[in-house]
Amino acid sequence: MAAAYLHIPFCEHICFYCDFNKVFLEGQPVDEYVDALIKEMQLSKQLHPEETLSTFYIGGGTPTTLNERQLEKLLNGIRSTYSLPKSAEFTMEANPESVSFEKLKIMRDYGVNRLSMGVQSFNNDILKKIGRIHTAEQVYTSVADARKAGFDNMTIDLIFRLPNQTMADFEDSLKKALELDLPHYSIYALILENKTVFYNLMRQGKLPLPSEDTEADMYALAIETMTKNGRNQYEISNFALPGYESQHNLTYWKNETYFGFGAGAHGYIDGIRYHNHGPIQQYLAPLRENNLPIIRQQQLSKNEQMEEEMILGLRTMAGVSQQHFAEKFQTSLLDQYASVISDLVTEGLLMLDGDRIRLTQRGVFLGNEVFRSFLM
């Protein structure tokens, strides 16, 4: 069983913190792009006819910038190419300003059963300052429309450590998010990525960010608040009611097989990581000739695969199973990383819990230090 990620790179506005592969919607060959996505899936299916998909995820960019006709064509193309099991998790990202009841109804008609909405904050002033073009009021409308269309499995994203964000403001966003009573929440710290508006402002000393201590307090508040409200932390940035954990993202964290479709998408098949062309025209050109748009492939060595197994698996609160590691790589996890694990346990960042090795509470806050330790 494999997962699939499909990328829609179009946006009506570029957020100041975003470094994903994206372009302004206006003037783009959206219809040809949708046709190309369908062709890419068909070509991939011919190469891997034996693969059955357990999850499908449409992300971006902003997938809901597609109009109703384009959206229906894309979803029909997915359904025509892949026979998803009834139990398959089929997720689509949506933004409050570009999703409508009509689009939500089309999604449900084609089997999309999970909605992931980019919210980031419930403070309209902060939303403007980070380059978002929706309002908190539109979030409430979108969630109500989604429920009316038949969605009960929904998640929203929140970001903390935003410019001028206070503890009180973040606490208010958490409160309002939970009032929506959704089964899943993703809560991330702002990361300053190269070539973004925020990165350039930071370099100029013009980005008023909360302190590191405040950032840590915000994260602690998120964990405490979500846990009190029954949303268990199952990954560093993700919280869910039991049974509502993101099955698609768990595929990544378990270091399992997934396909990547679309401009700039990544995939991981048979130990090979591949990367599609990012620029739209460079993505479209090979598909016009019935060729896959892959720009780069890398066969991972056994050591690289084991490193990724640890770095990805330790993001989850369940951690890494020693038995599964031994079966997958024919070697003992403790033998492979004896000194690294010993040091991290001594530092109070990792713990041995029966068969599993996982982050301690302190390790959750210092995850990046732990992950770097496994890079040989």
Side-chain angles (χ1 to χ4, degrees):
M1 298 288 279
Y5 172 82
L6 184 147
H7 190 69
I8 304 294
F10 310 115
C11 291
E12 293 177 0
H13 186 78
I14 305 299
C15 300
F16 300 156
Y17 53 84
C18 180
D19 77 329
F20 295 147
N21 189 48
K22 75 281 181 186
V23 293
F24 284 110
L25 176 68
E26 189 175 346
Q28 295 295 333
V30 182
D31 287 324
E32 184 182 3
Y33 185 80
V34 170
D35 290 338
L37 284 170
I38 295 169
K39 183 179 287 187
E40 183 188 3
M41 287 188 288
Q42 292 169 344
L43 291 171
S44 182
K45 181 67 174 174
Q46 290 170 19
L47 278 179
H48 304 279
E50 76 289 348
E51 292 287 0
T52 302
L53 298 185
S54 58
T55 69
F56 206 107
Y57 192 107
I58 302 175
T62 311
T64 45
T65 54
L66 298 182
N67 63 34
E68 284 89 346
R69 175 183 54 79
Q70 292 160 345
L71 179 59
E72 187 162 11
K73 186 172 189 178
L74 174 62
L75 293 173
N76 184 56
I78 293 169
R79 284 296 185 180
S80 300
T81 309
Y82 290 103
S83 178
L84 296 174
K86 283 188 177 180
S87 60
E89 180 188 87
F90 191 174
T91 305
M92 188 162 180
E93 290 181 356
N95 274 7
E97 77 279 356
S98 60
V99 73
S100 64
F101 177 74
E102 290 72 26
K103 291 180 183 180
L104 290 162
K105 206 64 184 75
I106 291 168
M107 292 180 209
R108 288 298 292 132
D109 288 346
Y110 281 91
V112 177
N113 53 26
R114 185 172 184 271
L115 197 65
S116 178
M117 197 173 299
V119 172
Q120 321 317 354
S121 173
F122 283 84
N123 181 318
N124 286 338
D125 289 335
I126 284 182
L127 287 170
K128 286 180 186 177
K129 289 174 183 175
I130 66 176
R132 301 294 289 186
I133 56 174
H134 73 266
T135 63
E137 291 70 31
Q138 287 174 306
V139 175
Y140 298 123
T141 300
S142 298
V143 170
D145 283 346
R147 286 190 165 122
K148 186 179 173 185
F151 284 95
D152 55 18
N153 191 355
M154 287 185 273
T155 179
I156 63 173
D157 292 350
L158 294 177
I159 299 179
F160 60 93
R161 193 200 171 209
L162 294 170
N164 295 311
Q165 188 179 40
T166 64
M167 280 292 295
D169 174 80
F170 180 56
E171 186 172 11
D172 183 63
S173 280
L174 285 172
K175 176 175 175 287
K176 288 175 177 173
L178 283 163
E179 285 172 353
L180 292 172
D181 195 24
L182 303 179
H184 190 287
Y185 296 89
S186 296
I187 305 175
Y188 305 98
L190 175 69
I191 298 175
L192 297 175
E193 301 284 6
N194 198 12
K195 298 180 181 177
T196 61
V197 171
F198 274 177
Y199 184 83
N200 292 332
L201 288 173
M202 181 271 293
R203 293 282 302 269
Q204 298 168 33
K206 298 178 180 177
L207 194 65
L209 297 177
S211 68
E212 288 186 3
D213 285 346
T214 300
E215 177 188 352
D217 289 344
M218 287 176 170
Y219 185 40
L221 177 67
I223 295 171
E224 179 186 358
T225 305
M226 287 290 150
T227 303
K228 277 183 180 176
N229 286 274
R231 275 69 178 178
N232 300 319
Q233 185 180 24
Y234 69 99
E235 191 270 345
I236 282 180
S237 301
N238 286 275
F239 306 81
L241 293 175
Y244 284 91
E245 299 83 0
S246 169
Q247 297 307 303
H248 181 83
N249 286 338
L250 282 168
T251 299
Y252 298 149
W253 300 320
K254 291 177 180 177
N255 203 22
E256 294 175 349
T257 295
Y258 61 93
F259 294 91
F261 303 121
H266 295 251
Y268 181 49
I269 307 293
D270 300 328
I272 297 173
R273 290 218 178 275
Y274 68 88
H275 182 193
N276 281 352
H277 284 281
I280 303 296
Q281 289 302 327
Q282 291 181 33
Y283 167 78
L284 294 173
L287 287 163
R288 291 176 185 134
E289 306 298 324
N290 291 314
N291 295 315
L292 286 170
I294 296 172
I295 187 174
R296 188 179 302 111
Q297 297 187 77
Q298 177 192 5
Q299 175 72 58
L300 298 186
S301 68
K302 183 178 178 180
N303 279 340
E304 288 170 329
Q305 291 181 50
M306 289 190 291
E307 287 172 5
E308 292 198 353
E309 188 83 8
M310 297 305 296
I311 291 169
L312 294 167
L314 286 172
R315 290 191 62 89
T316 67
M317 300 304 103
V320 178
S321 162
Q322 296 181 59
Q323 180 180 342
H324 178 73
F325 188 96
E327 291 170 352
K328 187 171 184 177
F329 299 110
Q330 302 302 303
T331 189
S332 163
L333 189 162
L334 291 179
D335 288 347
Q336 181 70 24
Y337 295 110
S339 61
V340 173
I341 290 172
S342 176
D343 289 346
L344 291 170
V345 169
T346 300
E347 292 171 31
L349 300 176
L350 278 187
M351 64 184 294
L352 300 178
D353 184 12
D355 171 59
R356 294 190 168 271
I357 294 174
R358 58 187 182 85
L359 296 173
T360 62
Q361 186 173 13
R362 181 168 180 260
V364 170
F365 282 80
L366 298 171
N368 287 335
E369 290 185 24
V370 176
F371 307 147
R372 279 195 295 268
S373 301
F374 288 94
L375 294 173
M376 299 299 194

